[in-house]
Amino acid sequence: MTTTPTRDSVPQRGRRPVTSRSEIEHIALDLFAQNGFDTTTVDDIAAAAGIGRRTVFRYYASKNDIPWGAFDEQLDRMRATFAGLPADLPVMTGVRVAVLDFNDVAPAELPWHRSRLRLILDTPALQAHSTLRYAAWRQVVVDYAAARLGLPPDGLLPQTIGHASLGVALAAYERWLREEASELTDLLDTVFCALEQGLALRPSR
């Protein structure tokens, strides 16, 4: 019996198939930047990577998940960071430490991180999906704040901390995208220090 080879089983000639999730993401981010998110298909990404579309779907449930990368794993890392913080650390200081760690990106990955954030923040087609991701990130912060304060996660104060933390993080991301020379960790540190102090700081820029 002869089996007809599928696209996933036949290497693309003239190109080395990618071998890691990060390579797929880099290729996808380049295609999204060049051709637009809406018009770039999973087949386009797979062809550029020299792999089959089924390989792409082993890593991502949908095209909308690709810009977010290994987001679920990063949330697990954030939970572990929170779990390792001293019990006597002020709650908002703990949030600042965890958010800075969450955004600790290797220098070589910073251009890709910028492309990723620009795509997530500026692409209308991603907004509904992003809302779900924001909620998951916010819940990690809420769970930490609730545990530290001895309050239920649906309590007003933990929920407020979660929403405020997401808000200032987004403000830092937007500023970083506008100012190429700025440092993301510096911006995040500034806004979270301000949040720790009740935003009672002298206005800067």
Side-chain angles (χ1 to χ4, degrees):
M1 177 177 175
T2 301
T3 302
T4 302
T6 65
R7 182 175 178 178
D8 276 88
S9 64
V10 179
Q12 302 296 307
R13 293 181 179 178
R15 149 188 320 126
R16 178 187 64 83
V18 301
T19 57
S20 73
R21 180 174 188 161
S22 64
E23 286 181 293
I24 296 174
E25 289 170 19
H26 292 174
I27 289 168
L29 290 170
D30 272 343
L31 289 174
F32 293 148
Q34 293 166 13
N35 306 322
F37 180 81
D38 293 337
T39 57
T40 300
T41 68
V42 171
D43 284 334
D44 294 332
I45 296 166
I51 57 178
R53 61 182 283 122
R54 286 186 298 176
T55 302
V56 177
F57 285 124
R58 287 182 195 138
Y59 291 106
Y60 311 100
S62 70
K63 185 178 79 169
N64 288 355
D65 289 298
I66 296 175
W68 290 88
F71 187 71
D72 292 334
E73 289 88 341
Q74 291 300 312
L75 290 185
D76 288 339
R77 169 183 160 185
M78 194 176 184
R79 291 186 188 94
T81 300
F82 276 133
L85 294 176
D88 59 349
L89 194 69
V91 173
M92 291 311 305
T93 303
V95 173
R96 175 167 57 88
V97 170
V99 171
L100 288 173
D101 180 75
F102 182 84
N103 287 275
D104 184 16
V105 178
E109 281 295 310
L110 278 174
W112 300 109
H113 193 47
R114 191 184 292 272
S115 296
R116 189 189 307 278
L117 285 173
R118 180 170 286 113
L119 187 68
I120 289 169
L121 294 175
D122 294 346
T123 305
L126 281 172
Q127 296 314 301
H129 189 73
S130 296
T131 298
L132 300 176
R133 295 297 199 172
Y134 293 151
W137 185 96
R138 193 172 62 240
Q139 191 61 48
V140 176
V141 176
V142 167
D143 289 342
Y144 168 73
R148 285 294 314 279
L149 297 171
L151 297 171
D154 62 352
L156 179 59
L157 187 52
Q159 288 291 324
T160 299
I161 291 171
H163 281 277
S165 297
L166 177 61
V168 298
L170 290 174
Y173 294 151
E174 289 172 357
R175 175 58 64 91
W176 186 54
L177 294 179
R178 291 199 306 270
E179 298 182 353
E180 294 286 332
S182 61
E183 294 286 342
L184 178 58
T185 52
D186 290 345
L187 294 171
L188 287 166
D189 190 57
T190 296
V191 294
F192 275 92
C193 282
L195 194 58
E196 285 181 62
Q197 299 176 45
L199 299 177
L201 296 179
R202 290 178 298 176
S204 54
R205 293 185 291 158

